[in-house]
Amino acid sequence: MLRAARALLAMRHPLDAELAFSEMLGAWWGERVPGVDVERLLGEGLIAHATASGKSAGLGVLAAITVLGTSSTQRSLAEQGMIALRERGLQVPEWASQLGVVTPVSAYVSSDQFGDTDDVVCVFSRDRDRPGAPGALPPEHALILVLDHNGGGVLRDAWVTTKVEQLLEQCRKRAEADEFARFTRIELTEARALLSRALERTEQVVAASGDPASGPTVELVGLQASDLTGGSLATHFALANARVRTLPVPPEGVEVSPTPVWRRDRRAVLAARFLASDEAAELSDSYAASRCVDHIISHGCDVDSGRPMRVSPRKVESFLLHWLPGRVVLLSEEQEAMPHVLAAWVRWAGARGGLPEVAVGATLDAVWESTTEFVRTYHDPARPLGLRQEAVRRLLPDGDFASLARRMFAFPLLASELVTWAPEEFDPDTPKGRRALLRLDHYGEYEAATPHNGRHSTGQDHWYRPVTGDDPERERELDRHERLARRLWHGRPANLWAAARRMLDRGVDRPTVLAALGGVLDSATGESDLRRRLDAL
């Protein structure tokens, strides 16, 4: 890399150097080696090597990483290395002093009426002395970043052009000629908020791609992390990070274009409005329709930046063919109802969102064209685990397949046939039901006035023992298990299940894992301290 940097010393323009160094830093972005922090090894290793080189090429590398480094640690270490080399009398080329020194001029969003993607165009000028120049600097280059809303709000592509006026004129003409095209100017603070969220989501996806147990991450739908790291996005990611940092920050206390927060009650109201509409009147199975629309709303709120009312052909395909099969367990009646409920939702939401009739029709066509593939590819992901539908209903009352393993770990008896004779008494959503499940799981005891018909395979009268007397120590232990099981059931915090998975993957048995997690819960002084302790397990 230092040998390559020597060739860059002859460059005359800072933008060329920025693009070259951004590509260099992107060469290992997203790469995974088991047991190795590649970003730290190569990024910080390059800084150390450049500092030790004592050469102008090394100083040029450090100057670039000071601006383009993908972490604050990298940028700080590079700056320290620059100071050390400058003290030795080394000089850098003229372009090095201009790296990252730009002025944001304007920002635009180019999209279409469906809103599947947003092309965010940020225009920059170079801050430099130009003899005889007027007060305002002319646009020098534009950075274009593509946001994929169907993919979870991540960045899909990036590129740079110096033909700024030509680009803007093409976008304006397209918007004037195509009734579906949109091209609007936005505030620079809004562009920073929008792109900062997208950069953060993209980094989370790439960072988690090699560590499934690393905790919460953005839901990547219909994409692989390699789709993000294998092209021009990797080449321009360091430059994009640096340019977004130059955009103005919104005033303190003011959140620009926040992602709408859809609480459970607000989602329920939206579902009720739909189910009471004329579009939903022909849906024959009201219970299945209610469950299906809950999933449609969840997808729009959680994946599509809080926009459940947005509909498009690409969105319904992504929902039916990618999100549902990998995220949700649908019962047989819900699988049958889903395409019909989704079509009714498209008609209802499209009309209220002002979507032209031809666009609604195209989206409905996509629903029916995807239905055959949906029926063919969708399978019950719980079936390979040997779970019956009744067990699925108990474990996944909300249909959230991602929580299945976590909830089976918390309440393994729910996946068995041992408690089918008293479902109302073993409801994990109630304190009494949780207590009964945990007492039975840990101590083999069941507190019942009259025995049930559950029998042990050995032919004994009953496989459980009745609760006899009060044992304060045992009750305190149950209190502890109940606090832990309740958190595991709801997945809060996500670090809890991530810690459990790490221990299970190392061969630690379930009782030992439960004891370790319970000990952390007892000793933590707050939620932040709890997350820190869990991450250390």
Side-chain angles (χ1 to χ4, degrees):
M1 288 182 178
L2 286 181
R3 284 196 294 270
R6 293 193 192 104
L8 301 179
L9 294 178
M11 287 186 172
R12 302 179 63 86
H13 199 285
L15 180 60
D16 294 331
E18 288 169 334
L19 290 169
F21 279 108
S22 181
E23 183 174 4
M24 179 185 295
L25 295 176
W28 62 79
W29 182 57
E31 292 296 322
R32 294 289 164 216
V33 177
V36 177
D37 186 340
V38 176
E39 183 68 27
R40 182 173 182 179
L41 174 69
L42 294 182
E44 296 182 15
L46 177 60
I47 294 170
H49 193 62
T51 304
S53 71
K55 298 178 180 179
S56 295
L59 185 54
V61 169
L62 294 173
I65 298 178
T66 299
V67 174
L68 302 174
T70 54
S71 70
S72 58
T73 301
Q74 281 187 7
R75 296 191 292 273
S76 177
L77 290 174
E79 186 175 5
Q80 294 171 24
M82 280 188 67
I83 294 173
L85 291 184
R86 283 184 182 277
E87 289 177 348
R88 297 169 63 176
L90 293 180
Q91 299 295 321
V92 294
E94 182 181 354
W95 53 255
S97 62
Q98 292 293 322
L99 294 176
V101 185
V102 294
T103 298
V105 176
S106 56
Y108 306 84
V109 173
S110 177
S111 62
D112 60 27
Q113 201 157 15
F114 286 124
D116 293 306
T117 61
D118 284 335
D119 293 2
V120 183
V121 181
C122 295
V123 180
F124 298 92
S125 286
R126 182 70 58 176
D127 287 345
R128 57 185 173 181
D129 295 328
R130 296 183 304 108
L137 295 173
E140 186 202 55
H141 64 275
L143 171 68
I144 301 92
L145 295 169
V146 181
L147 277 68
D148 187 338
H149 295 293
N150 294 324
V154 297
L155 294 174
R156 287 296 307 274
D157 202 358
W159 71 93
V160 171
T161 180
T162 56
K163 299 178 180 179
V164 179
E165 292 301 333
Q166 182 178 340
L167 170 69
L168 297 180
E169 185 61 25
Q170 288 178 348
C171 292
R172 293 188 187 101
K173 288 183 177 179
R174 176 173 173 265
E176 293 172 358
D178 186 349
E179 62 176 336
F180 279 88
R182 300 287 183 269
F183 185 66
T184 57
R185 183 165 181 166
I186 60 174
E187 295 294 330
L188 292 173
T189 52
E190 184 178 353
R192 172 156 185 156
L194 182 67
L195 293 175
S196 295
R197 287 196 297 268
L199 286 166
E200 181 180 0
R201 289 170 177 152
T202 307
E203 286 181 304
Q204 287 177 350
V205 166
V206 172
S209 63
D211 184 9
S214 61
T217 186
V218 172
E219 196 163 358
L220 195 62
V221 179
L223 298 171
Q224 301 292 329
S226 58
D227 296 329
L228 309 181
T229 60
S232 63
L233 180 60
T235 299
H236 294 89
F237 195 78
L239 179 61
N241 258 309
R243 287 293 187 267
V244 170
R245 289 196 299 271
T246 69
L247 296 172
V249 179
E252 186 176 356
V254 177
E255 188 173 6
V256 180
S257 298
T259 300
V261 177
W262 286 82
R263 296 185 301 272
R264 183 179 300 180
D265 56 345
R266 190 179 175 195
R267 299 185 189 199
V269 169
L270 182 60
R273 286 172 52 200
F274 164 71
L275 293 171
S277 68
D278 293 338
E279 289 83 355
E282 296 182 0
L283 299 175
S284 56
D285 188 336
S286 59
Y287 176 77
S290 176
R291 299 270 296 187
C292 290
V293 76
D294 286 344
H295 297 314
I296 295 170
I297 293 172
S298 294
H299 174 261
C301 294
D302 301 335
V303 175
D304 191 18
S305 304
R307 299 187 296 177
M309 298 290 286
R310 186 182 74 83
V311 295
S312 78
R314 281 188 57 199
K315 182 176 179 179
V316 299
E317 290 173 3
S318 177
F319 172 71
L320 281 176
L321 304 182
H322 298 290
W323 190 80
L324 274 178
R327 185 70 170 78
V328 175
V329 173
L330 293 178
L331 303 177
S332 57
E333 59 270 23
E334 295 164 1
Q335 293 180 38
E336 183 178 348
M338 179 57 78
H340 303 280
V341 178
L342 182 57
W345 177 268
V346 167
R347 291 192 293 269
W348 181 75
R352 280 149 187 79
L355 206 60
E357 188 174 341
V358 64
V360 173
T363 307
L364 289 172
D365 289 343
V367 172
W368 301 123
E369 289 169 2
S370 302
T371 297
T372 300
E373 183 71 7
F374 167 71
V375 172
R376 187 182 69 82
T377 60
Y378 187 90
H379 60 280
D380 182 353
R383 191 170 298 142
L385 301 175
L387 296 180
R388 297 179 181 271
Q389 288 287 351
E390 182 56 37
V392 173
R393 290 180 188 271
R394 293 198 303 266
L395 286 161
L396 306 177
D398 51 2
D400 182 6
F401 181 62
S403 66
L404 180 60
R406 169 168 43 83
R407 291 175 179 176
M408 286 178 65
F409 177 78
F411 298 107
L413 289 181
L414 285 179
S416 73
E417 298 300 310
L418 299 179
V419 297
T420 55
W421 36 267
E424 70 284 351
E425 297 179 41
F426 295 106
D427 183 356
D429 267 344
T430 67
K432 184 177 180 180
R434 284 193 297 271
R435 195 78 167 189
L437 277 168
L438 294 172
R439 188 184 297 278
L440 199 58
D441 179 27
H442 292 286
Y443 304 117
E445 295 180 347
Y446 177 62
E447 188 172 9
T450 58
H452 290 275
N453 293 326
R455 293 182 181 272
H456 195 277
S457 59
T458 62
Q460 297 174 355
D461 288 345
H462 300 288
W463 57 270
Y464 58 83
R465 299 187 304 273
V467 176
T468 55
D470 291 330
D471 185 338
E473 181 62 30
R474 180 170 291 185
E475 295 304 314
R476 284 193 292 271
E477 189 68 14
L478 278 174
D479 288 340
R480 184 186 190 192
H481 284 304
E482 187 177 347
R483 289 195 297 271
L484 173 60
R486 184 171 63 251
R487 283 181 174 269
L488 283 168
W489 179 267
H490 295 291
R492 295 194 294 265
N495 316 59
L496 187 66
W497 178 232
R501 288 180 61 181
R502 287 195 299 272
M503 288 186 282
L504 292 170
D505 289 343
R506 290 198 301 269
V508 181
D509 59 35
R510 180 173 177 267
T512 304
V513 173
L514 290 173
L517 297 178
V520 170
L521 281 178
D522 290 342
S523 59
T525 57
E527 290 299 312
S528 59
D529 183 49
L530 172 61
R531 289 190 290 270
R532 181 182 60 79
R533 290 173 181 264
L534 288 170
D535 290 341
L537 281 178

